[in-house]
Amino acid sequence: MTATIADLQITSLAAGGDGVARHDGQAVFVPRTAVGDVVRTALVSRGRFARGTVRDLVEASPDRVDAPCVHYVHDDCGGCQWQHLAINAQRAAKAQLVVDAMQRIAGVSIAHPEVIGDARTLGYRRTISLTVRGHGKRRVGGFHAAGDPDTLVPIERCLLAHDDVQRAWDALRGLLGRLPEWRTPTADAPAARRGSARRGQRSSRQQQSLRVSLRRLGEAQASVAEIAIAVEGGDRWSATAARAIGEAVPGCRGIWWTPAGQEAQLMWDRDRLTASQQADPAPGLEVVEPSSDLAVAASFVQVNAELAAQMHAFVFAQVMAESPARVIDGYAGAGRLAMALDAAGVQVTAIERDDRACRHAEARLGAASRVLSGTVETRLAEALPADVIVLNPPRSGCDAAVCDRLVEVASSASPPRALVYVSCDPATLARDVKRLQGWRVVSATCFDLFPQTAHVETVCLLRPEA
């Protein structure tokens, strides 16, 4: 497909991070640009819009800075979208993304929200997930290339990773050959762009790969780091290999493996090794009985612990400002908010689908509070009534049935005083606000938990219109 070359001025940033320009009446999405840039662009029409690639920076925006990461600059790593933007410009753009989504999708006009962040814009991630491809000593691990999920960029150092997580990756990179294997491995795909020593493997989407997550456990200020490793994929792994990784990675506390098509299992636990693992490291699958606390801690790691704590305190304060007697905590996770409210004398009903998290929270709540295991859409009715409802759904937002129920509640004789919606995607937040007929948006406040990316967390306070 023939590309058109044109000089374009970037006027805004889109969800996902691309800059937006106009050409012949079309919106053109151009990655890694800044508002105010004038860029010589090779653009290809995709029907209603066009995609562009920067050929030359004609005029630089004052929002531009030098990106600090070699993988971002030279390898086109897709882990970050906005390292080339000053942090104030990033946060202004995130506020605008929320305003635009609310107007475009929900039809609601809101003031530009405050974006709360801190000075730590690198080294904040307590968890990273990497893709591993290849076999044996030819394995490489890294992130997908920007705009090209079939290409893997091998990563040596991720500047967003917490120092303890980076140390774990430094150790694991030399042991990739000891990760799970496939019984019928495919042939290695050829390297992409062989002129670049840094580019990784390109393959069809069917190429077998592993997903490896490294997670730093414990409180933000913990002096001793503990690392959990989660591996997804493969269908053959020995206890010997898992143990070798656990003993080599600094601070490794436990290793989980989710074989292809099966449930996750704990392969190695530093503090609860089976007798056979302690005495005889012979090959074979030795599944360790997991500690409940360890399993929950590894499953609910906050990516940015410091900012997550600030957002938790903000949500807690918003709820307590209503002087509630009863609160529903939907999508409660490990129950951190529910426990804080319970300790403050509030009767809490927490709803969570993860059975381990439910048991964890139930053991820590007072007699007046309770935990309902299941989805919010199936358990919300029995949790009502409440003075305040908190929803903290995944990126996909709430099930439509949740919004339908809240519409009914808003027009009831005794509606809740407030709904606090914690969102990690402005588009699904706006979609759910549109569904919530009978509720009005009172305020929105953003938290910059993910600097250098286009992701933003939003706490939206709603009240019944009645």
Side-chain angles (χ1 to χ4, degrees):
M1 191 174 294
T2 304
T4 301
I5 307 300
D7 287 358
L8 305 177
Q9 182 167 25
I10 305 301
T11 57
S12 63
L13 296 174
D18 290 352
V20 183
R22 306 290 300 185
H23 179 74
D24 289 346
Q26 274 190 321
V28 184
F29 296 92
V30 189
R32 301 198 174 179
T33 52
V35 173
D37 277 347
V38 176
V39 288
R40 187 152 297 138
T41 308
L43 60 97
V44 176
S45 178
R46 304 291 187 188
R48 296 175 58 189
F49 64 93
R51 294 284 183 193
T53 303
V54 175
R55 293 288 184 88
D56 189 26
L57 181 59
V58 177
E59 182 179 334
S61 164
D63 292 340
R64 274 192 170 270
V65 296
D66 292 331
C69 177
V70 64
H71 298 301
Y72 186 88
V73 174
H74 297 295
D75 302 338
D76 208 20
C77 174
C80 298
Q81 299 84 48
W82 284 349
Q83 280 196 27
H84 62 284
L85 293 180
I87 191 62
N88 288 342
Q90 292 184 33
R91 289 171 180 163
K94 292 179 182 188
Q96 189 63 49
L97 290 178
V98 174
V99 170
D100 290 347
M102 295 292 277
Q103 181 64 61
R104 176 172 49 87
I105 300 172
V108 174
S109 296
I110 63 170
H112 269 67
E114 178 186 7
V115 181
I116 297 173
D118 62 17
R120 189 173 189 179
T121 61
L122 299 172
Y124 64 84
R125 287 197 67 102
R126 288 157 52 94
T127 174
I128 61 172
S129 295
L130 304 105
T131 298
V132 174
R133 289 181 183 161
H135 309 286
K137 294 182 179 180
R138 297 184 62 189
R139 277 184 162 170
V140 294
F143 300 131
H144 297 292
D148 186 0
D150 292 340
T151 297
L152 189 67
V153 177
I155 296 296
E156 295 179 8
R157 174 158 181 75
C158 174
L159 294 187
L160 299 195
H162 189 285
D163 288 344
D164 296 326
V165 174
Q166 179 61 47
R167 277 190 286 271
W169 176 236
D170 290 340
L172 184 58
R173 275 176 48 228
L175 297 167
L176 298 182
R178 307 213 69 169
L179 289 171
E181 292 282 359
W182 300 85
R183 295 183 190 279
T184 54
T186 58
D188 285 345
R193 303 184 189 177
R194 294 184 182 276
S196 169
R198 293 184 178 274
R199 288 297 274 201
Q201 293 177 326
R202 184 177 180 85
S203 73
S204 70
R205 293 184 186 275
Q206 285 71 42
Q207 184 185 359
Q208 293 167 334
S209 61
L210 305 174
R211 188 163 183 83
V212 179
S213 298
L214 303 172
R215 303 165 185 170
R216 186 186 188 277
L217 307 180
E219 297 299 320
Q221 304 303 325
S223 58
V224 178
E226 289 192 325
I227 299 293
I229 301 175
V231 183
E232 299 176 32
D235 52 21
R236 181 181 59 186
W237 200 15
S238 72
T240 304
R243 179 179 179 180
I245 291 173
E247 292 177 344
V249 172
C252 187
R253 179 67 174 79
I255 300 176
W256 280 262
W257 177 36
T258 306
Q262 299 183 39
E263 295 295 319
Q265 54 200 24
L266 186 63
M267 287 289 290
W268 185 83
D269 183 340
R270 182 192 64 200
D271 297 339
R272 301 181 61 161
L273 295 177
T274 63
S276 61
Q277 284 177 309
Q278 293 172 345
D280 179 16
L285 181 61
E286 296 282 355
V287 180
V288 185
E289 184 65 26
S291 157
S292 176
D293 288 350
L294 174 60
V296 170
S299 299
F300 294 93
V301 173
Q302 292 290 348
V303 172
N304 186 332
E306 289 79 3
L307 259 297
Q310 289 189 44
M311 187 170 73
H312 166 83
F314 182 86
V315 172
F316 177 83
Q318 282 204 321
V319 173
M320 293 303 294
E322 305 297 326
S323 301
R326 297 171 55 119
V327 171
I328 295 173
D329 182 11
Y331 312 92
R336 182 181 184 185
L337 178 64
M339 287 180 239
L341 292 169
D342 178 80
V346 178
Q347 182 181 337
V348 183
T349 299
I351 306 175
E352 172 55 46
R353 66 185 305 169
D354 186 297
D355 288 337
R356 294 169 306 177
C358 288
R359 292 192 294 271
H360 177 86
E362 197 166 37
R364 290 159 176 80
L365 291 176
S369 296
R370 59 177 176 160
V371 179
L372 300 180
S373 178
T375 63
V376 176
E377 54 268 26
T378 59
R379 306 303 300 264
L380 179 59
E382 64 189 282
L384 291 164
D387 300 312
V388 178
I389 299 173
V390 180
L391 298 177
N392 189 0
R395 188 169 300 277
S396 56
C398 295
D399 187 278
V402 175
C403 296
D404 291 344
R405 183 63 183 174
L406 292 175
V407 169
E408 296 175 9
V409 170
S411 59
S412 66
S414 299
R417 298 170 200 161
L419 167 63
V420 181
Y421 190 126
V422 184
S423 166
C424 57
D425 187 334
T428 55
L429 168 63
R431 180 205 65 198
D432 289 345
V433 166
K434 183 176 182 179
R435 289 171 170 172
L436 289 169
Q437 299 298 310
W439 293 85
R440 60 184 175 86
V441 175
V442 176
S443 66
T445 305
C446 297
F447 289 81
D448 190 16
L449 268 69
F450 309 104
Q452 318 304 338
T453 79
H455 299 299
V456 61
E457 299 275 328
T458 308
V459 179
C460 188
L461 176 65
L462 302 96
R463 297 194 190 280
E465 289 181 344

